[in-house]
Amino acid sequence: MSVRGPAGFVARWLVNYVLGIETSCDETAAAVVASGDKLLSNVVASQLKTHFRYGGVVPELASREHLRAIVVVVRKALEKAGITYRDLNAVAVTQGPGLVGSLLVGVTFAKGLAASLEIPLIGINHIEGHIHAVVLEERQRGGEIPFPSLALVVSGGHSHLFHVERTAGDEYRYELVGRTRDDAAGEAFDKVAKLLGFGYPGGPLIDKLAPFGDPSRVPLPASKMKGNALDLSFSGLKTAVLRHVRASNMEAEINARRRLFAEGPAASFDEVRASTPQATLDLIASFQQTVIKELLRRAMRAAEERPVESIIVSGGVAANSGLRARFQSLTLPVYFPSLSLSTDNAAMIAAAAYPRLLRGERSGLDLRPQASLALGAA
Ligand code: KG4
Ligand code: ZN
């Protein structure tokens, strides 16, 4: 049983249960975090089956699926945490960026819940959430990430580099120092996978196939940026892969694979690997290595420009094993979330809300979803 103070007052020494809700894209998620550092439950309902046949997320279908799932997902998160609605001290919800119709489901539900329970509502930036997935897990292990830190958030929607400072009062300040000018890193993984006839989302499968190829076999171009050298671009790389596919007469192989993936994820990984020619595995390995090199180059340069004590890598692409291995070989301490907190989840939203809750920050019931909500002034 938690204890709530007078309106707006949240005592640091009491156990505070924050319910996080995340519906920015194609995952309906709810989680309970106690006192900012204990993850009590983390429930994620994936819509993969709904969107798979379209080769990407269909916004209208995503909103409908969120509506269907949200009540059950929240109830499960409370059950797993061993608490009831009445025990909650605050509701945190993703305000943006994301698909506006999807965000609206989470925001509306969170508002209703906060109003009926008479507890604070806190709107959270999804990108800030990804960073706090790592802060949360490090605290849960009893450690603290040393700040200032360089945070690389790489997902299906974002490839952003932030310089992050933390004040003594546990307040986080974000400065956007680099970003993608076109495709996000996860989007590049998904588009290349789709181009090669693999299903959606392509990142996890490319990750598993890449170790079977030779990354030095297909020369692919690194991007050349005018202006901010910390910015990223992946559309040229995607075009280079397309050109290679056309020049290598891969159409028949790709069409056969499209049939294999037409109805859903292929039966087994071994089957997929066995039916993928070595030349394609080499292309996949070369593509993945190029993406990793691009991200590593920007992160190292950013860390030289502004001294940092650590690097945080988060977002769906942070699940990539090749990326993890390369970043972990750096001399700076590098922090990744566990695999389940790399991709979208609500634990990161609840964790990001906790320091704000303690500082008395609240969102009004006029909180609106914002599809392009920014984090950190450039
Ligand atoms: O963070 P996330 O779940 O959703 C967004 O906020 O976008 O990230 C999803 C993205 C997808 O593009 C997916 O292909 C990519 O993360 N992804 C990966 C891996 N797991 C997920 N990319 C590369 N390697 C992985 N293991
Ligand atoms: Zn995300």
Side-chain angles (χ1 to χ4, degrees):
M1 177 71 184
S2 73
V3 187
R4 246 179 278 144
F9 172 79
V10 178
R12 199 177 275 269
W13 59 89
L14 300 175
V15 176
N16 288 300
Y17 295 111
V18 179
L19 171 71
I21 295 177
E22 150 65 39
T23 62
S24 67
C25 191
D26 59 342
E27 256 114 22
T28 316
V32 178
V33 174
S35 300
D37 59 7
K38 280 173 245 21
L39 178 56
L40 300 186
S41 64
N42 183 32
V43 179
V44 181
S46 166
Q47 302 178 1
L48 189 60
K49 278 197 185 125
T50 306
H51 302 289
F52 190 88
R53 79 186 71 158
Y54 303 102
V57 178
V58 183
E60 291 78 7
L61 298 184
S63 321
R64 191 190 69 189
E65 293 303 308
H66 285 306
L67 272 173
R68 281 190 176 153
I70 187 119
V71 175
V72 179
V73 166
V74 169
R75 203 180 287 147
K76 258 193 204 159
L78 293 173
E79 264 169 37
K80 285 196 174 177
I83 61 167
T84 69
Y85 284 108
R86 283 272 141 217
D87 294 315
L88 290 173
N89 298 86
V91 182
V93 65
T94 306
Q95 185 189 3
L99 300 170
V100 77
S102 291
L103 290 165
L104 192 60
V105 177
V107 167
T108 310
F109 187 88
K111 277 185 196 175
L113 200 56
S116 61
L117 295 171
E118 297 180 61
I119 56 175
L121 170 73
I122 302 176
I124 293 294
N125 185 305
H126 179 86
I127 307 174
E128 180 179 21
H130 274 302
I131 295 171
H132 279 266
V134 190
V135 176
L136 164 67
E137 289 192 306
E138 191 52 28
R139 285 196 171 159
Q140 189 152 261
R141 280 190 285 268
E144 278 290 352
I145 294 177
F147 283 87
S149 184
L150 181 75
L152 174 63
V153 182
V154 268
S155 69
H158 335 277
S159 291
H160 287 31
L161 261 176
F162 297 95
H163 186 260
V164 188
E165 284 180 32
R166 185 176 66 199
T167 66
D170 210 21
E171 191 173 347
Y172 295 78
R173 303 215 171 111
Y174 306 94
E175 185 189 355
L176 181 63
V177 295
R179 59 179 300 166
T180 183
R181 300 226 183 125
D182 37 59
D183 294 347
E187 204 177 349
F189 271 96
D190 295 340
K191 284 182 175 172
V192 164
K194 196 170 174 182
L195 187 81
L196 296 174
F198 295 101
Y200 169 85
L205 194 51
I206 288 193
D207 184 8
K208 283 178 89 178
L209 288 170
F212 298 96
D214 177 352
S216 64
R217 265 330 244 248
V218 185
L220 292 169
S223 63
K224 291 190 189 72
M225 303 310 299
K226 286 195 183 125
N228 184 1
L230 297 179
D231 277 354
L232 291 145
S233 164
F234 291 110
S235 72
L237 175 59
K238 184 191 65 195
T239 310
V241 173
L242 180 62
R243 248 190 260 119
H244 179 88
V245 164
R246 288 199 178 132
S248 317
N249 295 321
M250 292 168 70
E251 277 76 11
E253 169 207 333
I254 291 172
N255 285 337
R257 198 176 298 119
R258 286 218 167 100
R259 285 194 290 277
L260 185 67
F261 279 87
E263 290 309 319
S268 79
F269 173 71
D270 288 341
E271 188 189 336
V272 177
R273 184 174 73 85
S275 63
T276 307
Q278 191 56 46
T280 307
L281 293 170
D282 292 343
L283 175 62
I284 286 171
S286 305
F287 162 75
Q288 178 169 295
Q289 178 175 272
T290 309
V291 174
I292 294 171
K293 270 191 186 163
E294 290 283 285
L295 296 174
L296 197 68
R297 192 152 60 92
R298 298 312 189 286
M300 283 167 62
R301 189 175 179 138
E304 274 164 28
E305 283 182 9
R306 288 150 199 268
V308 287
E309 302 288 322
S310 63
I311 296 181
I312 293 171
V313 188
S314 194
V317 181
N320 186 275
S321 40
L323 181 95
R324 284 180 180 241
R326 287 299 301 272
F327 270 81
Q328 265 150 2
S329 67
L330 296 175
T331 43
L332 270 170
V334 183
Y335 295 85
F336 285 93
S338 61
L339 290 185
S340 62
L341 293 199
S342 294
T343 46
D344 288 349
N345 65 85
M348 66 187 200
I349 302 303
Y354 186 68
R356 295 181 182 276
L357 178 69
L358 291 185
R359 278 201 305 280
E361 284 182 36
R362 308 287 182 262
S363 299
L365 289 181
D366 56 352
L367 181 74
R368 278 164 179 259
Q370 281 188 39
S372 344
L373 188 64
L375 179 70

